[in-house]
Amino acid sequence: MKKQFFQLIQKTILQTLRTVCRKLCSHGKLLCKVFLFATLLCVLTVIGINAYMIHYAKPYIYKSVEALPQKYTVIVPGGKVYNTTVSHVVRDRIEAAASCIKTQKAARVLISGDHGRKNYDEVNQMRLYMQKIYAVDESLIFLDHAGFSTYETMYRAKAIFCVTDAVVTTQAFHTVRSVYIARKLGIDAVAYEAPEVTRFTKRLKTHWIIRESLARVKTFFLVLFSAKPTYLGEQIPITGEAKASWDML
């Protein structure tokens, strides 16, 4: 997977460089050289950060629920939901989290997602789906309504919900960044690669890989400069009452 990732990035970059260079060189060799130098610097930065992050997170990523170490909390990052159901991405994350609870690899669930608008609510839809399909006890499910990004999800897990150790259930492409952020913010975290109930297309996975390679660069600097999330607020300890984090029953 790592080899395929770097081959894909290299191919994409080379194709872009050829196109842009042809246009710039027609306007002067100096401009072309400046562009090439700047591009090379950016490419090396992207590759370097990705290689470092993948190496850092690799020991903490698991493909089997049986192999997972026990943690108190399982964190479920948000994703696309609809009026009456959730996307395949979210469903796989929820199913993986439910497996952690049922096998006693975790004792509490923290669902984190986007609920910044009245007409769009990831966390409650995810909670209802988890309760209805997987019969997870409602007293175990905490909701973070301001998990607008992976970074904000992990930051608030630590700062608001007082999470000290966790399993993050998410897709393979997303595990590296999730673990990196959580551990750099002080959470003893591992990731469980959510099994695919419905196989995703190769084209979609390629899109995810390219997007994720850039997201890791952004994440590196967010962590480096200790960026604050959009919202903080009063603490709701994960060891306390789950419904203190709910806005609807």
Side-chain angles (χ1 to χ4, degrees):
M1 176 63 78
K2 190 187 295 186
K3 183 178 179 181
Q4 291 176 337
F5 163 74
F6 286 116
Q7 287 176 340
L8 180 62
I9 294 298
Q10 183 183 33
K11 182 179 178 181
T12 304
I13 291 170
L14 286 174
Q15 288 176 342
T16 305
L17 278 174
R18 289 192 191 102
T19 302
V20 176
C21 277
R22 279 196 296 267
K23 294 181 179 180
L24 284 178
C25 285
S26 62
H27 296 286
K29 291 184 178 180
L30 179 60
L31 185 60
C32 186
K33 288 180 180 179
V34 170
F35 169 76
L36 285 173
F37 176 78
T39 302
L40 179 61
L41 188 61
C42 290
V43 169
L44 290 176
T45 300
V46 171
I47 292 175
I49 288 175
N50 273 269
Y52 161 66
M53 207 172 285
I54 290 168
H55 177 75
Y56 177 91
K58 186 177 179 180
Y60 308 109
I61 297 172
Y62 294 80
K63 296 179 182 291
S64 166
V65 70
E66 290 79 16
L68 279 171
Q70 283 189 321
K71 302 293 181 182
Y72 190 77
T73 306
V74 55
I75 299 175
V76 190
K80 184 69 175 178
V81 300
Y82 308 100
N83 291 332
T84 58
T85 189
V86 300
S87 63
H88 292 324
V89 168
V90 170
R91 179 200 57 198
D92 289 354
R93 293 176 182 180
I94 290 173
E95 181 166 300
S99 295
C100 291
I101 294 295
K102 293 184 185 301
T103 56
Q104 299 183 333
K105 294 296 184 178
R108 296 290 185 274
V109 179
L110 175 58
I111 293 175
S112 180
D114 184 351
H115 188 191
R117 296 162 285 165
K118 288 184 178 180
N119 61 346
Y120 185 70
D121 180 357
E122 289 181 358
V123 291
N124 278 298
Q125 191 63 260
M126 291 168 69
R127 171 181 64 82
L128 292 170
Y129 188 86
M130 177 174 265
Q131 289 178 248
K132 179 180 179 181
I133 304 301
Y134 301 103
V136 175
D137 190 330
E138 64 180 24
S139 67
L140 307 180
I141 306 174
F142 287 72
L143 304 180
D144 178 7
H145 303 266
F148 303 126
S149 67
T150 305
Y151 180 82
E152 292 185 275
T153 288
M154 302 308 165
Y155 195 110
R156 286 174 54 82
K158 176 72 173 180
I160 302 299
F161 295 91
C162 307
V163 172
T164 57
D165 63 329
V167 179
V168 184
T169 57
T170 189
Q171 280 68 32
F173 75 90
H174 190 224
T175 52
V176 167
R177 186 158 55 99
S178 299
V179 164
Y180 179 83
I181 296 169
R183 296 191 72 86
K184 287 295 183 178
L185 293 179
I187 300 173
D188 179 15
V190 297
Y192 172 35
E193 187 178 308
E196 293 180 16
V197 178
T198 301
R199 303 294 293 180
F200 298 107
T201 65
K202 185 177 180 180
R203 182 177 180 181
L204 180 59
K205 288 182 178 180
T206 299
H207 170 73
W208 283 343
I209 289 171
I210 293 172
R211 187 182 67 178
E212 190 67 13
S213 68
L214 299 177
R216 287 173 188 156
V217 176
K218 178 182 177 182
T219 288
F220 177 83
F221 289 105
L222 287 174
V223 170
L224 182 64
F225 294 110
S226 302
K228 301 296 183 183
T230 306
Y231 300 111
L232 283 171
E234 296 182 6
Q235 289 187 335
I236 307 173
I238 198 75
T239 54
E241 174 61 46
K243 288 191 176 179
S245 66
W246 293 21
D247 68 330
M248 60 180 285
L249 299 179

